Amino acid sequence: MHSKDLLREVNKEIEKTAEWSAEIYRKIHMYPEIGNEEYRTASLVEACLAEIGLASRRPLATSVIAEQKAARVSAETADTKKTGSGKNTGRRKRAVLRCELDAIDINEETGLHHASCRTGFMHACGHDIHIAVILGTAKVLSKIKDKLNIDIKYIFQQDEEGNGKGKDIVALGEINENDTVLGLHVRPSLVSGTIGVKKGIMHGASLMFDIQIDGRKSHGAMPHLGRDAVAAASAIVYTVYASVGRKIDPVRSYIVSFGSIKGGTRRNVIADSAELSGIIRAETSEMCRFIGREIEKAANNIAEIYGCSAHTDFTEGYPPLINDYKITEMLKKAVSEYNEYNIISATAFGQNLEENKKILDMNTIKVEEIDDFSLTVDDFAYYLQKSKGTYFYLGSGFPERENSDIHTSTFCADERCIKVGISTLTAAVLQMNEVTSDVKTVKA
């Protein structure tokens, strides 16, 4: 069935569902929970999925997954289904839609009627919007489940902000190489009604490091009898900032940040130990590791100059988030068809130009190509390491006013972006559905 025919069936449903999703967003926003503690949020998601008619399960303590199996599958897939293997062999299409459940520990200062009821905690990342969008998309697609040729998996993941439980979800086998994975993130610098898309790298990779410097204690008036670990640590910071860039192609993007330095016990005692901790961010994981080796060499050499020793430990961060070119184009095509359908609908009833413009402003989505990428990280990268997909920005800014950035106490999303997110993901799934050929109905 053509995606435009299915759009005709779901278009009014999107409008109604957006209101339902906005109510869910407000409930979640009022009770933010940090990573691995999203029990209330997970329970609310489960209740909403049950209302839609989807069974759910928890692969992790506070992560929720639901699946909608295709009622209509290709002849090849039907044969695969008889094997009972449950594996995606490459002939079976599945869309995977993922969002995050966690908030962060920041005190909200928005003044919203539905502001956080928990002092010191806030959905300052927009994950509450993401949840509302995915639930809304599930609700819309459930209305046409008998006409879909593809499976759909919905992942509501815990702890994106902390230790990146996306890695654990992938390790559990919830994703396979034949899936098409779609994700989104609010972006207040884009106004509501807009999505931002980018092919290729969208977020960088990271690598964390800790450096232990050991020296020898002495009286502050007799530094020659000691080995100053604090002085060595300070010199290491300066040397790394000044020298690492001389080893890297200047057109490549990277950054090294020392976030913590600890050492010493008293103002008049030469410290016998100091600790440095920081993070490397770059375009690739290989680049992060190269910079890490340069930091380790600099730390060892500088520490020796000061008569100290240094030991560097590394902790793996995130891989880069790389969008698939073809799937990003598919997403753009899906939105284009959604817009075309609404333009035809708006002009079909002979409204005047001004009325048409209002209708189109509410029911078309502007697509903005993003040229740059960010050295921030996102654990959606783990999903895209396993399978192909794309991650897009959902414009959440209010037009004609200043919008606070995410991770700030005054961040506030324009709720109208929820409908845009639902429309975008619904159109994308319908575009995937249209590609499937040789279809017949198969009993579950």
Side-chain angles (χ1 to χ4, degrees), residues 184-221:
L184 73 158
H185 204 292
V186 295
R187 192 172 200 181
S189 61
L190 294 176
V191 297
S192 181
T194 305
I195 64 167
V197 300
K198 188 177 189 308
K199 299 170 187 174
I201 183 170
M202 195 169 194
H203 288 274
S206 65
L207 180 66
M208 294 168 282
F209 63 88
D210 296 280
I211 305 172
Q212 173 68 42
I213 302 105
D214 294 310
R216 188 167 69 209
K217 192 177 293 186
S218 71
H219 193 286

Short mmCIF file of all heavy atoms in Angstrom, two decimals, residues 184-221:
data_model
loop_
_atom_site.label_atom_id
_atom_site.label_comp_id
_atom_site.label_asym_id
_atom_site.label_seq_id
_atom_site.Cartn_x
_atom_site.Cartn_y
_atom_site.Cartn_z
N LEU A 184 15.93 10.50 17.77
CA LEU A 184 15.78 11.95 17.66
C LEU A 184 16.24 12.63 18.94
O LEU A 184 16.32 12.00 19.99
CB LEU A 184 14.33 12.33 17.38
CG LEU A 184 13.33 12.20 18.55
CD1 LEU A 184 12.12 13.09 18.31
CD2 LEU A 184 12.86 10.75 18.73
N HIS A 185 16.53 13.92 18.83
CA HIS A 185 16.87 14.71 20.00
C HIS A 185 16.38 16.14 19.79
O HIS A 185 16.58 16.72 18.72
CB HIS A 185 18.37 14.72 20.26
CG HIS A 185 18.71 15.01 21.70
ND1 HIS A 185 18.48 16.25 22.28
CD2 HIS A 185 19.22 14.23 22.68
CE1 HIS A 185 18.85 16.20 23.55
NE2 HIS A 185 19.30 14.98 23.82
N VAL A 186 15.74 16.69 20.81
CA VAL A 186 15.27 18.07 20.71
C VAL A 186 16.46 19.02 20.53
O VAL A 186 17.56 18.76 21.02
CB VAL A 186 14.46 18.50 21.96
CG1 VAL A 186 13.18 17.70 22.08
CG2 VAL A 186 15.29 18.38 23.23
N ARG A 187 16.21 20.10 19.82
CA ARG A 187 17.24 21.11 19.62
C ARG A 187 16.59 22.49 19.67
O ARG A 187 15.89 22.90 18.73
CB ARG A 187 17.96 20.91 18.28
CG ARG A 187 19.22 21.76 18.17
CD ARG A 187 20.02 21.41 16.92
NE ARG A 187 21.40 21.86 17.07
CZ ARG A 187 22.33 21.73 16.14
NH1 ARG A 187 22.04 21.15 14.99
NH2 ARG A 187 23.57 22.14 16.34
N PRO A 188 16.79 23.23 20.78
CA PRO A 188 16.13 24.53 20.93
C PRO A 188 16.61 25.59 19.95
O PRO A 188 15.92 26.59 19.75
CB PRO A 188 16.44 24.92 22.38
CG PRO A 188 17.61 24.08 22.78
CD PRO A 188 17.51 22.82 21.99
N SER A 189 17.76 25.39 19.32
CA SER A 189 18.23 26.37 18.33
C SER A 189 17.46 26.26 17.02
O SER A 189 17.55 27.15 16.17
CB SER A 189 19.73 26.20 18.08
OG SER A 189 20.01 24.91 17.58
N LEU A 190 16.69 25.17 16.84
CA LEU A 190 15.78 25.03 15.71
C LEU A 190 14.36 25.25 16.21
O LEU A 190 13.97 24.67 17.23
CB LEU A 190 15.88 23.64 15.09
CG LEU A 190 17.20 23.23 14.42
CD1 LEU A 190 17.12 21.77 13.97
CD2 LEU A 190 17.51 24.13 13.23
N VAL A 191 13.59 26.07 15.51
CA VAL A 191 12.23 26.34 15.98
C VAL A 191 11.34 25.13 15.74
O VAL A 191 11.58 24.31 14.85
CB VAL A 191 11.62 27.58 15.30
CG1 VAL A 191 12.41 28.82 15.65
CG2 VAL A 191 11.52 27.40 13.80
N SER A 192 10.30 25.02 16.55
CA SER A 192 9.33 23.95 16.38
C SER A 192 8.74 24.02 14.97
O SER A 192 8.44 25.10 14.46
CB SER A 192 8.23 24.11 17.42
OG SER A 192 7.27 23.08 17.30
N GLY A 193 8.55 22.86 14.37
CA GLY A 193 8.11 22.80 12.98
C GLY A 193 9.24 22.46 12.05
O GLY A 193 9.04 22.29 10.85
N THR A 194 10.44 22.33 12.61
CA THR A 194 11.64 22.07 11.83
C THR A 194 12.33 20.81 12.35
O THR A 194 12.30 20.54 13.55
CB THR A 194 12.63 23.24 11.93
OG1 THR A 194 11.97 24.44 11.54
CG2 THR A 194 13.85 23.02 11.07
N ILE A 195 12.92 20.03 11.45
CA ILE A 195 13.84 18.97 11.87
C ILE A 195 15.20 19.25 11.23
O ILE A 195 15.28 19.85 10.16
CB ILE A 195 13.34 17.56 11.50
CG1 ILE A 195 13.25 17.37 9.98
CG2 ILE A 195 12.01 17.24 12.18
CD1 ILE A 195 13.08 15.92 9.55
N GLY A 196 16.25 18.83 11.91
CA GLY A 196 17.60 18.97 11.39
C GLY A 196 18.16 17.60 11.05
O GLY A 196 18.10 16.68 11.88
N VAL A 197 18.66 17.43 9.85
CA VAL A 197 19.20 16.14 9.42
C VAL A 197 20.65 16.29 8.99
O VAL A 197 21.06 17.37 8.53
CB VAL A 197 18.37 15.53 8.27
CG1 VAL A 197 16.94 15.30 8.70
CG2 VAL A 197 18.42 16.42 7.03
N LYS A 198 21.40 15.23 9.14
CA LYS A 198 22.80 15.25 8.72
C LYS A 198 23.23 13.86 8.32
O LYS A 198 22.92 12.88 9.00
CB LYS A 198 23.71 15.74 9.86
CG LYS A 198 25.15 15.96 9.39
CD LYS A 198 26.03 16.50 10.48
CE LYS A 198 27.39 16.91 9.93
NZ LYS A 198 28.05 15.87 9.14
N LYS A 199 23.94 13.76 7.21
CA LYS A 199 24.51 12.50 6.78
C LYS A 199 25.91 12.36 7.37
O LYS A 199 26.61 13.34 7.54
CB LYS A 199 24.58 12.44 5.26
CG LYS A 199 23.23 12.54 4.57
CD LYS A 199 23.40 12.73 3.08
CE LYS A 199 22.08 13.01 2.42
NZ LYS A 199 22.22 13.34 0.98
N GLY A 200 26.29 11.13 7.68
CA GLY A 200 27.62 10.91 8.21
C GLY A 200 27.71 11.23 9.69
O GLY A 200 26.73 11.11 10.43
N ILE A 201 28.88 11.67 10.11
CA ILE A 201 29.12 11.88 11.54
C ILE A 201 28.27 13.03 12.09
O ILE A 201 28.21 14.10 11.51
CB ILE A 201 30.62 12.12 11.82
CG1 ILE A 201 30.86 12.27 13.33
CG2 ILE A 201 31.14 13.32 11.05
CD1 ILE A 201 32.33 12.28 13.70
N MET A 202 27.60 12.76 13.21
CA MET A 202 26.76 13.76 13.86
C MET A 202 27.27 14.10 15.26
O MET A 202 27.17 15.22 15.71
CB MET A 202 25.32 13.27 13.93
CG MET A 202 24.31 14.36 14.25
SD MET A 202 22.65 13.72 13.99
CE MET A 202 21.71 15.24 14.01
N HIS A 203 27.79 13.09 15.96
CA HIS A 203 28.40 13.29 17.28
C HIS A 203 29.74 12.57 17.31
O HIS A 203 29.93 11.54 16.65
CB HIS A 203 27.50 12.74 18.39
CG HIS A 203 26.28 13.56 18.65
ND1 HIS A 203 26.28 14.63 19.49
CD2 HIS A 203 25.03 13.47 18.14
CE1 HIS A 203 25.07 15.17 19.52
NE2 HIS A 203 24.30 14.48 18.69
N GLY A 204 30.67 13.11 18.09
CA GLY A 204 32.01 12.56 18.13
C GLY A 204 32.16 11.36 19.06
O GLY A 204 31.21 10.91 19.70
N ALA A 205 33.38 10.86 19.12
CA ALA A 205 33.76 9.77 20.02
C ALA A 205 34.42 10.36 21.26
O ALA A 205 34.80 11.54 21.28
CB ALA A 205 34.72 8.82 19.32
N SER A 206 34.56 9.55 22.30
CA SER A 206 35.19 10.05 23.53
C SER A 206 36.04 8.97 24.19
O SER A 206 35.84 7.77 23.96
CB SER A 206 34.13 10.56 24.53
OG SER A 206 33.31 9.49 24.98
N LEU A 207 36.97 9.42 24.98
CA LEU A 207 37.84 8.54 25.76
C LEU A 207 38.21 9.27 27.04
O LEU A 207 38.69 10.40 26.99
CB LEU A 207 39.11 8.19 24.97
CG LEU A 207 40.13 7.28 25.65
CD1 LEU A 207 39.55 5.88 25.87
CD2 LEU A 207 41.41 7.19 24.83
N MET A 208 37.95 8.67 28.18
CA MET A 208 38.23 9.30 29.47
C MET A 208 39.60 8.85 30.01
O MET A 208 40.03 7.73 29.72
CB MET A 208 37.12 8.97 30.47
CG MET A 208 35.77 9.57 30.09
SD MET A 208 34.39 8.91 31.06
CE MET A 208 34.15 7.33 30.27
N PHE A 209 40.24 9.71 30.76
CA PHE A 209 41.55 9.35 31.31
C PHE A 209 41.73 9.88 32.73
O PHE A 209 41.13 10.89 33.12
CB PHE A 209 42.68 9.87 30.41
CG PHE A 209 42.74 11.37 30.28
CD1 PHE A 209 43.45 12.15 31.19
CD2 PHE A 209 42.09 12.00 29.24
CE1 PHE A 209 43.52 13.53 31.07
CE2 PHE A 209 42.14 13.39 29.10
CZ PHE A 209 42.86 14.15 30.01
N ASP A 210 42.54 9.17 33.48
CA ASP A 210 42.93 9.57 34.84
C ASP A 210 44.45 9.41 34.95
O ASP A 210 45.00 8.37 34.56
CB ASP A 210 42.24 8.70 35.90
CG ASP A 210 40.74 8.86 35.89
OD1 ASP A 210 40.25 9.85 36.46
OD2 ASP A 210 40.07 8.00 35.28
N ILE A 211 45.12 10.42 35.47
CA ILE A 211 46.58 10.39 35.61
C ILE A 211 46.93 10.52 37.10
O ILE A 211 46.52 11.47 37.76
CB ILE A 211 47.26 11.54 34.84
CG1 ILE A 211 46.84 11.50 33.36
CG2 ILE A 211 48.77 11.45 34.97
CD1 ILE A 211 47.32 12.70 32.57
N GLN A 212 47.66 9.54 37.60
CA GLN A 212 48.14 9.56 38.98
C GLN A 212 49.62 9.96 38.97
O GLN A 212 50.44 9.32 38.32
CB GLN A 212 47.98 8.19 39.63
CG GLN A 212 48.60 8.05 41.01
CD GLN A 212 47.88 8.87 42.07
OE1 GLN A 212 46.65 8.91 42.08
NE2 GLN A 212 48.63 9.52 42.95
N ILE A 213 49.95 11.05 39.67
CA ILE A 213 51.35 11.52 39.77
C ILE A 213 51.83 11.27 41.20
O ILE A 213 51.19 11.69 42.17
CB ILE A 213 51.48 13.01 39.43
CG1 ILE A 213 50.96 13.28 38.01
CG2 ILE A 213 52.92 13.46 39.53
CD1 ILE A 213 49.63 13.95 37.97
N ASP A 214 52.96 10.59 41.33
CA ASP A 214 53.54 10.30 42.63
C ASP A 214 54.89 11.00 42.77
O ASP A 214 55.74 10.92 41.88
CB ASP A 214 53.72 8.80 42.82
CG ASP A 214 52.39 8.07 42.88
OD1 ASP A 214 51.51 8.51 43.66
OD2 ASP A 214 52.21 7.10 42.13
N GLY A 215 55.05 11.73 43.88
CA GLY A 215 56.29 12.43 44.16
C GLY A 215 56.80 12.11 45.55
O GLY A 215 56.68 10.97 46.02
N ARG A 216 57.33 13.15 46.24
CA ARG A 216 57.82 12.94 47.60
C ARG A 216 57.51 14.19 48.41
O ARG A 216 57.73 15.32 47.98
CB ARG A 216 59.33 12.67 47.61
CG ARG A 216 59.85 12.26 48.99
CD ARG A 216 61.26 11.69 48.89
NE ARG A 216 62.24 12.71 48.53
CZ ARG A 216 63.35 12.49 47.86
NH1 ARG A 216 63.62 11.27 47.40
NH2 ARG A 216 64.21 13.46 47.59
N LYS A 217 57.01 13.96 49.62
CA LYS A 217 56.59 15.05 50.48
C LYS A 217 57.80 15.72 51.12
O LYS A 217 58.79 15.08 51.45
CB LYS A 217 55.65 14.51 51.56
CG LYS A 217 54.92 15.56 52.36
CD LYS A 217 53.95 14.91 53.36
CE LYS A 217 52.82 14.20 52.63
NZ LYS A 217 51.78 13.69 53.55
N SER A 218 57.68 17.05 51.33
CA SER A 218 58.71 17.78 52.09
C SER A 218 58.09 19.08 52.59
O SER A 218 56.97 19.45 52.21
CB SER A 218 59.93 18.09 51.21
OG SER A 218 59.62 19.08 50.24
N HIS A 219 58.83 19.77 53.45
CA HIS A 219 58.37 21.07 53.94
C HIS A 219 58.34 22.05 52.76
O HIS A 219 59.20 22.02 51.88
CB HIS A 219 59.32 21.58 55.03
CG HIS A 219 58.77 22.74 55.80
ND1 HIS A 219 58.68 24.01 55.29
CD2 HIS A 219 58.26 22.80 57.08
CE1 HIS A 219 58.15 24.82 56.19
NE2 HIS A 219 57.88 24.10 57.29
N GLY A 220 57.38 22.96 52.80
CA GLY A 220 57.24 23.91 51.71
C GLY A 220 58.43 24.83 51.56
O GLY A 220 58.68 25.36 50.47
N ALA A 221 59.17 25.05 52.65
CA ALA A 221 60.36 25.90 52.59
C ALA A 221 61.58 25.15 52.08
O ALA A 221 62.64 25.75 51.85
CB ALA A 221 60.65 26.49 53.96
#
